[in-house]
């Protein structure tokens, strides 16, 4: 059939099973929005308050559902406002397709009004970027974009389309997308046999899990693997929920704000089995001293991650679920009783401690876990609140923590929570924010109220930029440069002004009451929690130090007493 470019875009989205698009219109993309209007019963469009909110919402939708998230923006500033969200998705391997429109072909390269080379701008932060100048190339490019976003290691793809390509006509033939094949051709029998031999020989194995396990939907095979080899499990921030956080084998996060148990255990293990994790600097600390007693075995779909940050002794390249399936088939049941007891002793010796006589981040997260029975989807912004969420909420299943791990994007969580709630209507969705982060993208509360998307925004308000101030306190002689936020902004009034139900709480009883009511009301709600500016995230590893030197408040007190 003969269709114009805008109609082809909509038909291609329908081919891919897209039911929701997040975006913001403008002149260059008007033709597309006109076509979308005619299909509003098939594809829901969520008008965000800012294009960055649209990219974060598409990202949150993708993380929560496992589908490809889609966002729209017009040319120029509309397109560039997507950049932070695209980079966030790239760093965390999240599949989104960003569709932007540009000036007409004759105006390209002439510094025309709202013209920008967005395909060139995002080249380093996408798996691929396209510019479509001919309507005949449009359908094939969009289909390729979705395939690239999903296959192998997922990630964002941008398709920029000239306005005349959205108006011109050509023949469109519907296609059914082919299933995305798992990456298995790189998995060799020799590599699998070598991995199995290393696992069998280990006396003190440790399993280290990253976001790749979630991307490959490998949690079931991971659980079988852990039980079979009888080993403790730690994770990255991105790996939360890949392995049940309430399981006895689980020891908590690894790295800068990981548990002492995980940091000390990995430092003592003789085999570190790393699955779908990239050895970020926040995980490894001093790379020269990371897991120095261990051989390192890495399972990853991306060969570029092997030996990039940490030298590995062996690896298997391919889809994590398929690798684990093949390895599990060759393993017999093992018992590492003495090693597991040693790790259990660490857990008893170094529990996660916090005060229960005042309102604080860890206490709030434990209450959220208790009230939601650990079944909520938790999104976060970036900072102390993010770490408290990772430390004190037991993520029992995949796709329940949505957070900017690699890029560390302040303002990410609110848009992501909107995307998650749209994609998972039956789940309670709660965004954990700091006051500094809330200031960045608080305008997306208006998006939630416009569509009555019942997200719950919990603000940890300590009136400072908490994580930056923590570093200033510990490493910069308590010089609090530009981190104090005492001013006249009233988050409750601002939230109410955008149409949300808002609460201000100062004790745990009031918080518990507000959260239960917010869940029951099932409307957009904001809960501002007043906490102490001096609260810190512990344990912590100092920059440049090995993870074996993780310290907490007790260690600081002992050091101060000794001095």
């Amino acid at each position: 059939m003969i269709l114009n470019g805008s109609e082809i875009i909509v038909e291609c989205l329908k081919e891919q099973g897209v039911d929701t698009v997040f975006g913001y219109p403008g002149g260059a993309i008007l033709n597309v929005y006109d076509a979308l209007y005619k299909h509003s019963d098939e594809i829901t469009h969520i008008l965000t308050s800012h294009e960055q909110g649209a990219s974060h919402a598409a990202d949150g939708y993708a993380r929560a559902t496992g589908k490809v998230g889609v966002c729209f923006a017009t040319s120029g500033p509309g397109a560039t406002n997507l950049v932070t969200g695209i980079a966030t998705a790239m760093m965390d391997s999240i599949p989104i397709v960003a569709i932007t429109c540009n000036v007409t072909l004759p105006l390209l390269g002439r510094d025309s009004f709202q013209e920008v080379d967005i395909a060139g701008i995002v080249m380093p932060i996408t798996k691929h970027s396209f510019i479509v100048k001919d309507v005949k190339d449009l359908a094939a490019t969009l289909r390729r974009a979705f395939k690239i976003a999903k296959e192998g290691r997922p990630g964002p793809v941008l398709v920029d389309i000239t306005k005349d390509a959205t108006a011109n006509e050509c023949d469109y033939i519907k296609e059914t997308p082919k299933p995305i094949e798992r990456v298995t051709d790189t998995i060799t029998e020799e590599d699998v046999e070598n991995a199995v031999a290393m696992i069998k020989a280990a006396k003190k194995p440790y399993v280290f899990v990253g976001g790749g396990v979630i991307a490959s939907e490998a949690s079931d095979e991971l659980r079988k693997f852990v039980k079979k080899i009888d080993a403790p499990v730690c994770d990255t921030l991105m790996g939360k929920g890949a392995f049940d956080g309430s399981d006895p084998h689980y020891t908590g996060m690894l790295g800068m704000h990981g548990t002492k148990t995980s940091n000390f255990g990995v430092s003592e293990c003789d085999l570190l089995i790393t699955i779908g994790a990239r050895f970020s600097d926040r995980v490894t600390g001093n790379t020269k001293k990371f897991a120095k007693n261990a051989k390192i075995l890495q399972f990853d779909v991306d060969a570029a991650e092997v030996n990039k940050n940490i030298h590995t002794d062996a690896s298997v390249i391919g889809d994590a679920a398929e690798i684990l399936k093949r390895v599990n088939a060759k393993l017999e049941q093992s018992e590492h009783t003495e090693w597991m007891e040693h790790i259990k002793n660490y857990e008893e010796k170094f529990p996660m401690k916090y005060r229960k006589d005042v309102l604080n981040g860890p206490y709030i997260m434990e209450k959220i876990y208790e009230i939601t029975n650990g079944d909520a989807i938790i999104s976060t912004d970036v900072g102390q609140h993010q770490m408290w969420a990772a430390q004190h909420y037991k993520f029992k299943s995949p796709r329940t923590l949505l957070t900017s791990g690699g890029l560390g994007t302040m303002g990410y969580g609110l848009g992501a929570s909107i995307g998650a709630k749209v994609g998972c209507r039956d789940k309670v969705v709660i965004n954990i924010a700091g006051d500094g982060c809330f200031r960045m993208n608080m305008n997306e509360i208006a998006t939630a109220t416009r569509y009555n998307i019942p997200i719950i925004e919990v603000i940890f308000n300590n009136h400072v930029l908490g994580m930056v101030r923590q570093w200033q306190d510990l490493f910069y002689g308590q010089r609090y440069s530009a981190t104090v936020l005492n001013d006249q902004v009233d988050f409750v009034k601002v939230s109410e002004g955008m149409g949300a139900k808002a609460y201000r709480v100062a004790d745990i009883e009031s918080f518990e009451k507000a959260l239960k009511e917010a869940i029951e009301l099932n409307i957009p709600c904001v809960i501002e929690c007043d906490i102490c500016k001096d609260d810190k995230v512990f344990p912590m590893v100092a920059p440049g130090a090995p993870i074996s030197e993780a310290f907490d408040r007790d260690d600081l007190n002992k050091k101060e007493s000794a001095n």
Side-chain angles (χ1 to χ4, degrees):
M1 70 181 91
I2 302 298
L3 298 177
N4 67 36
S6 298
E7 292 166 336
I8 289 171
I9 292 169
V10 173
E11 291 300 325
C12 286
L13 294 179
K14 287 161 60 179
E15 282 180 7
Q16 299 293 331
V18 174
D19 55 23
T20 307
V21 172
F22 305 89
Y24 207 98
I29 201 170
L30 265 179
N31 293 335
V32 179
Y33 270 84
D34 190 53
L36 192 64
Y37 180 84
K38 301 168 188 175
H39 294 268
S40 57
D41 58 334
E42 297 169 282
I43 299 176
T44 299
H45 179 270
I46 303 294
L47 175 65
T48 54
S49 298
H50 189 280
E51 289 91 352
Q52 187 181 133
S55 58
H56 291 328
D59 176 300
Y61 177 94
R63 294 190 201 223
T65 65
K67 302 175 185 178
V68 177
V70 180
C71 56
F72 281 0
T74 195
S75 62
T80 58
N81 282 343
L82 294 178
V83 168
T84 298
I86 292 170
T88 300
M90 185 65 179
M91 288 289 280
D92 292 344
S93 303
I94 306 303
I96 69 171
V97 171
I99 297 175
T100 60
C101 288
N102 217 319
V103 298
T104 59
L105 186 57
L107 293 177
L108 279 181
R110 296 175 179 271
D111 292 332
S112 304
F113 177 67
Q114 290 193 335
E115 179 199 355
V116 72
D117 178 15
I118 190 62
I121 288 170
V122 302
M123 191 177 294
I125 56 167
T126 52
K127 284 187 74 177
H128 202 89
S129 62
F130 300 90
I131 179 165
V132 180
K133 303 175 184 178
D134 188 333
V135 67
K136 294 176 184 177
D137 300 326
L138 187 51
T141 302
L142 286 169
R143 290 164 184 153
R144 189 179 170 203
F146 276 86
K147 184 175 186 291
I148 291 170
K150 291 185 286 187
E151 68 183 355
R153 182 178 181 173
V157 178
L158 179 131
V159 181
D160 191 35
I161 309 161
T162 60
K163 187 171 183 178
D164 46 346
T166 69
N168 295 338
E169 295 181 339
C170 75
D171 191 30
Y172 162 78
I173 300 173
K174 182 178 180 180
E175 288 188 12
T176 301
K178 295 177 182 178
I180 300 296
E181 299 293 332
R182 292 181 180 270
V183 179
T184 59
D185 57 342
T186 52
I187 305 173
T188 69
E189 185 67 15
E190 181 183 357
D191 287 344
V192 171
E193 290 285 0
N194 188 32
V196 169
M198 292 175 71
I199 293 165
K200 287 181 177 179
K203 303 298 183 185
K204 299 187 291 184
Y206 222 112
V207 179
F208 173 42
V209 178
V213 174
I214 296 172
S216 67
E217 299 178 336
S219 289
D220 288 345
E221 289 296 336
L222 173 64
R223 184 175 62 254
K224 295 174 188 175
F225 177 71
V226 170
K227 304 298 181 185
K228 217 164 195 181
I229 70 171
D230 189 32
V233 182
C234 62
D235 55 18
T236 66
L237 185 64
M238 294 304 304
K240 288 286 175 186
F243 188 79
D244 185 350
S246 63
D247 189 284
H249 286 79
Y250 180 71
T251 63
M253 194 164 60
L254 182 69
M256 179 171 282
H257 293 295
T259 63
K260 279 190 170 183
T261 301
S262 293
N263 284 342
F264 294 170
V266 166
S267 298
E268 296 174 10
C269 72
D270 63 4
L271 177 65
L272 182 63
I273 307 160
T274 302
I275 310 170
R278 60 185 179 84
F279 295 111
S280 158
D281 56 296
R282 289 299 169 108
V283 160
T284 62
N286 187 323
T287 54
K288 293 180 180 178
K289 298 181 179 180
F290 177 75
K292 61 182 180 181
N293 298 310
K295 291 184 177 179
I296 295 179
L297 172 62
Q298 186 171 3
F299 300 161
D300 206 286
V301 76
D302 188 354
E305 290 299 341
V306 177
N307 294 318
K308 186 176 84 173
N309 296 324
I310 293 291
H311 172 74
T312 58
D313 295 276
S315 62
V316 186
I317 304 303
D319 178 77
E322 184 62 28
I323 293 171
L324 287 170
K325 183 179 179 181
R326 297 188 191 187
V327 170
N328 282 338
K330 295 178 180 293
L331 287 172
E332 299 173 355
Q333 183 62 48
S334 299
E335 301 292 338
H336 296 104
T337 306
E338 186 176 337
W339 173 236
M340 289 300 296
E341 287 179 355
H342 178 69
I343 296 300
K344 185 61 65 177
N345 287 338
Y346 272 147
E347 289 185 310
E348 293 171 358
K349 186 177 181 181
F350 303 115
M352 299 293 287
K353 291 192 283 188
Y354 61 91
R355 292 176 61 182
K356 291 194 175 183
D357 58 335
V358 294
L359 191 68
N360 56 58
Y363 203 179
I364 292 168
M365 292 313 308
E366 298 248 348
K367 273 297 174 185
I368 292 174
Y369 178 79
E370 176 188 315
I371 291 168
T372 64
N373 195 33
D375 292 327
I377 292 175
I378 304 294
S379 62
T380 81
D381 284 298
V382 173
Q384 288 180 315
H385 59 278
Q386 177 190 33
M387 294 297 102
W388 286 323
Q391 291 175 334
H392 295 277
Y393 189 99
K394 296 181 179 69
F395 295 92
K396 300 185 292 186
S397 57
R399 305 196 181 282
T400 51
L401 174 62
L402 320 177
T403 192
S404 175
L407 196 64
T409 306
M410 293 177 69
Y412 163 82
L414 181 51
S417 70
I418 289 170
K421 186 63 179 180
V422 169
C424 305
R425 292 282 183 178
D426 59 332
K427 302 285 284 187
V428 173
V429 178
I430 302 172
N431 182 50
I432 310 300
D435 48 325
C437 290
F438 185 62
R439 291 163 184 267
M440 290 197 168
N441 281 344
M442 68 171 78
N443 51 357
E444 296 306 335
I445 291 292
T447 304
T449 58
R450 179 184 299 119
Y451 297 98
N452 193 30
I453 301 170
I455 52 96
I456 300 171
E457 175 89 352
V458 177
I459 306 168
F460 290 9
N461 191 354
N462 55 7
H463 306 282
V464 294
L465 297 177
M467 186 60 86
V468 184
R469 187 179 188 275
Q470 176 167 330
W471 279 54
Q472 289 173 333
D473 197 327
L474 296 174
F475 309 119
Y476 287 83
Q478 299 182 341
R479 295 181 294 277
Y480 303 127
S481 176
T483 52
V484 178
L485 301 178
N486 281 328
D487 54 32
Q488 302 304 309
V489 179
D490 187 322
F491 292 151
V492 168
K493 288 183 179 179
V494 168
S495 300
E496 289 174 340
M498 287 188 281
K501 172 73 174 175
Y503 308 80
R504 181 178 289 111
V505 300
D507 57 69
I508 202 65
E509 292 80 12
S510 301
F511 173 76
E512 188 171 352
K513 181 181 177 182
L515 180 59
K516 288 179 177 177
E517 184 175 301
I519 294 171
E520 183 68 25
L521 286 172
N522 200 37
I523 60 174
C525 292
V526 175
I527 306 173
E528 180 188 3
C529 305
D530 192 24
I531 66 172
C532 178
K533 66 180 183 296
D534 292 317
D535 286 352
K536 291 182 174 59
V537 179
F538 288 119
M540 183 175 186
V541 176
I547 60 172
S548 58
E549 294 179 9
F551 65 90
D552 55 22
R553 172 59 68 188
D554 290 342
D555 296 317
L556 286 181
N557 291 340
K558 290 176 185 175
K559 186 176 180 179
E560 289 172 3
S561 298
N563 293 336

